[in-house]
Amino acid sequence: PLVKLLFFFNMLFWVISMVMVGVGVYARLMKHAEAALAYLEVDPAILLIVVGVLMFLLTFCGCIGSLRENICLLQTFSFCLTIVFLLQLAAGVLGFVFSDKARGKVNEIINNAIVHYRDDLDLQNLIDFGQKKFSCCGGISYKDWSQNMYFNCSDDNPSRERCSVPYSCCLPTPNQAVINTMCGQGMQAFDYLEASKVIYTNGCIDKLVNWIHSNLFLLGGVALGLAIPQLVGILLSQILVNQIKDQIKLQLYNQQHRADPWY
């Protein structure tokens, strides 16, 4: 029963890993290569592929190890799963202890995304969703959008969106049938008080930090949900390894008994 349980446990995550790789490859192929390369380090498609491949290899070891009752594969599976769990735990602790550095890294990622806002439609939709979800604009403030070449406020910028912000920064208008994509026109030229009548002026980093603080129990539940399958996998594999070792010892004992009746 333990062999079947561990096999089906790994088979479930094996299928999930293949789906992740498939989605990642599809998303990557649908992108324009030259645009994706501009922000490769934060490309969700690449992240999905890497995580999916690692999960595939890990669960493959678990599946074959449990079916063949191979101690080497099972111990490899258990060791790798333990390393993944410890790395996640360390990342969580370091993120909490060095929250200022983590905040700076998030700010760097957001600024990089702002720079490449018009380069990729998926990235653009992601930023728009985030700004509307958290009712924010830019990283620190709405003026961060000046980092984008199209929204830059410099006098020599020929863009029609000069000194503007994306429509996702705009305050919602009740009963609006058609979205006004030009509602952020020229907003960077206004001060905070004037701009706040039309757009969100607060940056998304502060909004994100506030959201994390107000949803700690939810995030804790998600972290626990990720940790439990890993701990179950480690526990089941170790129990199976011990059972296999006990069977080997028993077989050796019986062989010695048959070889030497006076033993």
Side-chain angles (χ1 to χ4, degrees), residues 4-63:
K4 291 182 179 179
L5 182 60
L6 185 58
F7 173 76
F8 285 116
F9 173 83
N10 282 284
M11 179 61 72
L12 173 63
F13 286 96
W14 190 56
V15 172
I16 292 174
S17 70
M18 288 193 291
V19 171
M20 290 174 65
V21 172
V23 172
V25 170
Y26 174 78
R28 184 65 179 161
L29 292 176
M30 292 298 290
K31 287 179 177 291
H32 296 292
E34 66 276 6
L37 286 172
Y39 59 97
L40 190 63
E41 67 275 12
V42 293
D43 191 348
I46 295 295
L47 187 62
L48 268 178
I49 294 171
V50 171
V51 173
V53 168
L54 291 177
M55 188 186 295
F56 177 87
L57 294 174
L58 187 58
T59 51
F60 180 79
C61 286
C63 283

Side-chain angles (χ1 to χ4, degrees), residues 232-244:
V232 168
I234 294 169
L235 181 63
L236 289 177
S237 59
Q238 286 301 318
I239 292 174
L240 185 56
V241 166
N242 290 332
Q243 286 184 356
I244 295 171

